Amino acid sequence: MTETSNPNETATLTGERADLLQTLGMHRNFLRFTTQGLSDEQAGRRTTVSALCLGGLIKHVAEMERLWVDFIVEGPSAMPDFDAMAEGDQAARGDEFRLLPGETLAGVLAEYEAVARRTDELIAALPDLDMDHPLPEAPWFKPGLRWSARRALLHVIAETAQHAGHADIIRESLDGAKTMG
């Protein structure tokens, strides 16, 4: 696996954009690596008290990355209206963390790769990492905050790294395999 979806793209970039792509690519690889050699059944298995499974984590990280890239491109209108979420919306969001019937590990990994490719292309082509948008209204954002494209990408990197750590724990609980060490 490469550190980015398109290693040729990284070769032409320097400085901050190359750093962003390489760092995001590294954490994506840690996350994907935790699923090597697993069956769909294993990828859907919960191994801790949480509802998390490896296939669900891949789905969630892909959706989170897609959402933040949409935010960079379209602004807060690309994000869900968190205050208007109904119980059914919350249930659907919970499905994001599970491998549902009919879903396969290969399928969620392929979707994640497509999302990653789009993000990598955006980072390479975005005219200005300082362009910003107001954050959508949500209980976890202070009113009036704005995030630049850079800040949103740093958030994607942090989320990916955090969930790669979760995935490592789940995989180790599943069969003793470790991402590192």
Side-chain angles (χ1 to χ4, degrees):
M1 288 182 203
T2 61
E3 285 194 8
T4 64
S5 297
N6 185 351
N8 296 330
E9 201 68 52
T10 307
T12 61
L13 294 176
T14 59
E16 182 179 20
R17 290 170 196 263
D19 290 346
L20 289 167
L21 282 172
Q22 289 169 351
T23 303
L24 181 55
M26 177 182 64
H27 292 295
R28 284 178 184 145
N29 284 338
F30 287 144
L31 178 59
R32 283 181 258 195
F33 187 81
T34 62
T35 66
Q36 279 192 327
L38 293 181
S39 68
D40 292 338
E41 187 272 325
Q42 289 170 309
R45 190 179 307 155
R46 294 173 43 197
T47 62
T48 67
V49 296
S50 80
L52 299 176
C53 67
L54 291 170
L57 274 176
I58 300 285
K59 279 175 52 176
H60 168 69
V61 172
E63 181 57 27
M64 177 271 312
E65 186 171 320
R66 177 186 300 108
L67 196 61
W68 282 107
V69 169
D70 288 348
F71 170 80
I72 291 168
V73 173
E74 302 168 29
S77 64
M79 304 291 259
D81 182 351
F82 298 105
D83 290 331
M85 288 183 104
E87 195 172 311
D89 298 322
Q90 294 294 346
R93 185 154 157 66
D95 285 345
E96 189 178 292
F97 293 93
R98 300 183 311 129
L99 203 56
L100 300 174
E103 292 179 331
T104 64
L105 178 58
V108 297
L109 286 168
E111 179 60 25
Y112 187 34
E113 183 63 27
V115 168
R117 193 171 26 261
R118 177 179 175 232
T119 302
D120 293 353
E121 290 168 0
L122 177 72
I123 292 170
L126 200 63
D128 184 4
L129 293 173
D130 288 324
M131 65 175 265
D132 67 354
H133 298 293
L135 288 171
E137 289 186 29
W140 47 87
F141 295 135
K142 288 172 84 174
L145 282 182
R146 299 179 70 87
W147 274 11
S148 66
R150 176 184 300 98
R151 178 64 185 92
L153 291 168
L154 289 170
H155 181 71
V156 170
I157 291 168
E159 283 265 331
T160 304
Q162 178 181 13
H163 289 309
H166 294 147
D168 199 36
I169 292 167
I170 293 168
R171 179 62 190 257
E172 190 171 353
S173 297
L174 182 66
D175 64 3
K178 298 178 185 176
T179 303
M180 296 171 57

